[in-house]
Amino acid sequence: MSDGWTEPSAGTAESHGKYISAIYRHMQILIAAELAPYRIGSGQYIFLMAIAGREGITQKELSESLLIDKTTTAKAIAKLEAEGYVRREANPADNRYQLLYLTEAGRDVVPKVQQGLNQVKSKASKGISDEDYAFMLDLLKQVLRNVSEHTRGGSAN
Amino acid sequence: MSDGWTEPSAGTAESHGKYISAIYRHMQILIAAELAPYRIGSGQYIFLMAIAGREGITQKELSESLLIDKTTTAKAIAKLEAEGYVRREANPADNRYQLLYLTEAGRDVVPKVQQGLNQVKSKASKGISDEDYAFMLDLLKQVLRNVSEHTRGGSAN
DNA sequence: TTAGATAGGATGTCATTGCAACTAATTGCA
DNA sequence: TGCAATTAGTTGCAATGACATCCTATCTAA
């Protein structure tokens, strides 16, 4: 649709990449600002919420379900642990891995983080109907499936 | 709906954030791999294409139209210049501005980069009809408008 | 039992990106 | 005219995140 550069039939036209990237960067800023009071960065909240959703999860499982590199996971968990929100517990049956649990402070902060995330979500989805929003999520899921198939971290790391 | 954690009416339910972030990260990887032969990273291609779309643009204008911080722009342009794809020219009327142009090598590489981006786009949009894709883009644009309103870089940097 | 394979993690390095603070050039107002 | 404010761009620093590589613990097979 005329952006300056060409557009032969299907393939060259406007791509989601530009918007995905811009939205991602702005969301990072909004979330970081929202969670700064709890000393939780935009790179950690997703792990905190995932652990809240299933205590006793391992780093490997986190990496797989969030499609994030395991070393990134390791560093984020280390930060959450340093802040006192997450606790590691060696699995007595297999000392190679450690089970992740929330601390008291972690359990206290999770609802606040959830609220902050809701703030950001409601800002971001203003002017979009629930149906349209749900439809967009479905399409984004399809895109994610497509792109994660083509990268190393597609299913594991 | 239903991911493990709560969902009081509208606000807590599944959010685009998770998908945006995962798609962004995987796209970065795909694009970097696609453009590696030309020594153009995932952080530079968007500037190259924007300059191709309007030669003589300034860094300020790039930052505004791409919604990217001006310091990020400065660094990306420096890399493109170091690779010999972009050339800076001082504006004689106002020495604060530098006008950006493609070099010969830049003009040569642009179609190849466009092709690489098309590759990535077609991988990413597999299984999505043109209509649905266009609809998704519209929704993403709305989300971007929403989030960019709330950050410093909303209109400028 | 022990060598090799496997798996969870940790560490070092690099690219992308944003913010604070700075420089240099231009503009505007007294 | 002259100095303060504005504007374009740069530099230093920090956070996010991926990849390569290494360490250690566990498991498998000879």
Side-chain angles (χ1 to χ4, degrees):
Chain A
M1 35 172 52
S2 91
D3 240 311
W5 51 76
T6 46
E7 175 186 341
S9 76
T12 311
E14 228 185 0
S15 164
H16 59 286
K18 188 164 55 174
Y19 302 105
I20 293 283
S21 138
I23 293 169
Y24 171 76
R25 288 181 285 101
H26 284 86
M27 295 267 300
Q28 293 269 93
I29 295 170
L30 290 177
I31 290 173
E34 201 76 48
L35 304 184
Y38 317 116
R39 302 167 52 80
I40 296 174
S42 65
Q44 292 114 53
Y45 78 92
I46 197 170
F47 296 99
L48 181 76
M49 300 312 286
I51 295 170
R54 181 150 87 75
E55 298 216 29
I57 196 171
T58 66
Q59 292 187 193
K60 173 89 153 95
E61 291 167 326
L62 280 174
S63 291
E64 285 173 359
S65 71
L66 300 174
L67 297 171
I68 292 178
D69 186 84
K70 65 176 182 172
T71 66
T72 301
T73 301
K75 285 163 192 163
I77 299 300
K79 282 195 183 179
L80 286 170
E81 193 182 26
E83 289 297 336
Y85 292 132
V86 165
R87 168 170 63 82
R88 295 163 134 113
E89 195 172 290
N91 181 343
D94 188 337
N95 281 310
R96 283 178 308 181
Y97 52 87
Q98 281 155 20
L99 310 181
L100 302 171
Y101 298 94
L102 295 181
T103 61
E104 288 305 307
R107 257 183 282 276
D108 288 346
V109 88
V110 161
K112 295 173 189 158
V113 170
Q114 182 65 67
Q115 241 182 337
L117 296 177
N118 291 347
Q119 286 283 325
V120 173
K121 180 193 166 180
S122 69
K123 280 178 192 166
S125 58
K126 203 170 46 179
I128 299 178
S129 74
D130 287 356
E131 285 134 303
D132 285 356
Y133 189 81
F135 187 56
M136 179 179 76
L137 284 191
D138 283 341
L139 293 170
L140 289 177
K141 282 180 208 172
Q142 176 65 41
V143 172
L144 178 54
R145 270 193 299 273
N146 289 340
V147 295
S148 65
E149 260 173 27
H150 290 280
T151 43
R152 281 200 338 157
S155 54
N157 287 293
Chain B
M1 328 279 153
S2 90
D3 237 313
W5 52 72
T6 47
E7 173 187 342
S9 75
T12 311
E14 224 184 3
S15 165
H16 59 287
K18 189 164 54 176
Y19 302 105
I20 293 282
S21 143
I23 292 169
Y24 170 77
R25 288 181 285 102
H26 285 86
M27 295 269 299
Q28 293 267 93
I29 296 169
L30 290 177
I31 290 173
E34 201 77 47
L35 303 185
Y38 317 116
R39 303 168 50 80
I40 296 174
S42 65
Q44 292 115 52
Y45 78 92
I46 196 169
F47 295 100
L48 180 77
M49 300 312 287
I51 295 170
R54 180 149 88 77
E55 298 217 30
I57 196 172
T58 67
Q59 294 187 194
K60 171 84 153 95
E61 290 167 328
L62 281 174
S63 292
E64 284 173 0
S65 71
L66 300 173
L67 296 172
I68 293 178
D69 187 85
K70 64 178 180 171
T71 67
T72 302
T73 300
K75 287 159 193 166
I77 299 300
K79 284 196 182 182
L80 287 171
E81 192 183 29
E83 289 297 334
Y85 293 131
V86 164
R87 170 171 62 81
R88 294 163 134 116
E89 197 173 288
N91 182 344
D94 187 337
N95 281 308
R96 287 176 305 180
Y97 294 77
Q98 307 200 347
L99 310 180
L100 303 171
Y101 298 94
L102 295 182
T103 61
E104 288 305 308
R107 257 183 283 276
D108 289 347
V109 89
V110 161
K112 296 173 188 160
V113 169
Q114 181 64 66
Q115 243 182 335
L117 295 177
N118 291 347
Q119 286 283 326
V120 172
K121 181 193 166 181
S122 68
K123 281 177 191 166
S125 58
K126 204 168 47 180
I128 299 178
S129 74
D130 286 356
E131 285 132 304
D132 285 357
Y133 189 82
F135 187 55
M136 180 178 74
L137 285 191
D138 282 342
L139 292 170
L140 289 177
K141 281 179 209 174
Q142 176 66 41
V143 172
L144 177 55
R145 269 193 300 272
N146 288 340
V147 295
S148 65
E149 259 173 27
H150 290 280
T151 43
R152 281 200 339 158
S155 55
N157 285 292

